Amino acid sequence: MPKQVLLDHPTIDETDIQGDVLVGMQKAAEIFVFFAIKDVAQFKRDLKQLIPTIATTELTRKYEAAVNAKSAGQPFHSADLAPVLKINIAFSAKGISKLGLSHAGADPSFEAGMEAGAAQLGDTVGDYAAIYRGQQIDGVFMVAFWDKNIDHAETESLNSVSALLGQFELSGMAEVGREIGSLNRAKPGHEVFGFADGVSQPAVAGLHKPVANDDQSLPGQDIVALGDFVLGPYDRGTGDKATPPQPWMNNGSYLVFRRLRQDVAGFDHYTQSQFHGFADSGDAFAAKLVGRWKDGSPLARDPLRPNPAHDETKFTENNDFEFGVQKVAQTRCPFDAHIRRVYPRSDVQDGPGNAEHKRILRAGIAFDHTNTLGGDQGLLFACYQSSIVDKFQFIQTFWANADSIPFEPPYVAGLDGTMPAHPGIDLIIGQAAVRGASWDGNKVLQNVPKFVTATGGEYFFSPSISGLNALAA
Ligand code: N7H
């Protein structure tokens, strides 16, 4: 979309920012180990030992560059593609307090923790697993492993977690609980409803060059200010700076972690049995709820059927769209489609509150424990940003949960130019009691079941390497 006012392209210290923040740790499996700090002095000693092994942006970026070069048939260093274990670490506000550093002035939601803000997110604390209740978590280790063989990646990650805990658990910390994520074995690269995942991610100023045009790296991939993701002397899209409230927080980023259970059978049953009058088939109905077909092709470009020319592998095509003229109607992509609610693109006008300023860097992974009795499946959602209140929380609360549409006037909504009285919610992630939406031609969806339930989560801060050294001192 037409862009933010100005963007600097700052020099990024890739050796300082943890590797999961801007690029994402490449992974076929990832274990999140939540811990409580028991002995501060011992924990600091152990942390000091761990810091040199933390995967930095330099490492994840090298890997990404090698993958891209390989798929483009260009030369690359094979060593850069070797399966490597990657470890990152982040702390809750409580954990940082224990380590004795001030976080005064930090994001208010981070300060309070996710459980305290659950009602605002639309969550029911009773749905949260025990480890996410009662503020037990001081921090999280994220251990990721990439290998084509998912089982091998999971075994390697679990072995590394054991080694890591052996190192730390002597006296410094105790594991509170863990989550085991892996690529969807039934359909790698797809989340458990079956949709291609990781299709759209913002480009970052300083990391990605303007290629498609002055504002975009790949076509349709707008470049977002570094200060929208990382704290430091960096511009944010609003024109101010992402000044860290405390010096040690420089080059750090807030991590939102959410355990989201998905009712796959319920989603399939609903879409396949209730599509009549709303779409031509169950698959088309499911696509309208998401805004993309399962292969990743966007409804805004391909409203009638999936298009292999715009699928999950066609990165120069699959984000090259705006909702633009469709403001007058929902004939291609419903207003409430998940991707339109969480990133409304040109639906929201330019300015400080524009859609680019609300972007997040997603770094989650699927989980599936349905092979164990009573086990569930879903998404270990993770995202990075320089403000939880302004970005994740805003998206979930005001864009996904609210029975309204994020357009700013002047807008034209329905076919007759009026906004429906109840435009509805994001029917994928919206956590609201009244679950419906109004589509064009008086098509009103009502009592749509809840397919995604938050079963836990926490807010963290992912410090830079220098920040970690300060915490370990
Ligand atoms: Fe969403 N889904 O399978 O339906 N998401 N998401 N998400 N999501 C996206 O671009 C999904 C969740 C975003 O730039 C795709 O990777 C599911 C939360 C954003 O066009 C699909 C869950 C939040 C984007 C899904 C879930 C977001 C995005 C398209 C929960 C933030 C990029 C593929 C279980 C509050 C939008 C892709 C853009 C894309 C699904 C959670 C945000 C298929 C099932 C909690 C910003």
Side-chain angles (χ1 to χ4, degrees), residues 191 193 195-200 258 260 262 290 292 319 338-339 342-343 345 359-360 362 379 381 392 395-396 428-429 452:
E191 55 71 59
F193 288 154
F195 289 86
D197 203 0
V199 179
S200 172
R258 258 164 104 63
L260 298 172
Q262 292 177 241
V290 172
R292 289 188 189 269
N319 280 300
H338 174 59
I339 68 156
V342 293
Y343 178 35
R345 299 181 186 231
R359 299 238 65 193
I360 49 179
R362 290 175 297 139
L379 178 67
F381 175 84
F392 162 73
I395 295 172
Q396 182 70 53
I428 300 292
I429 64 159
V452 172

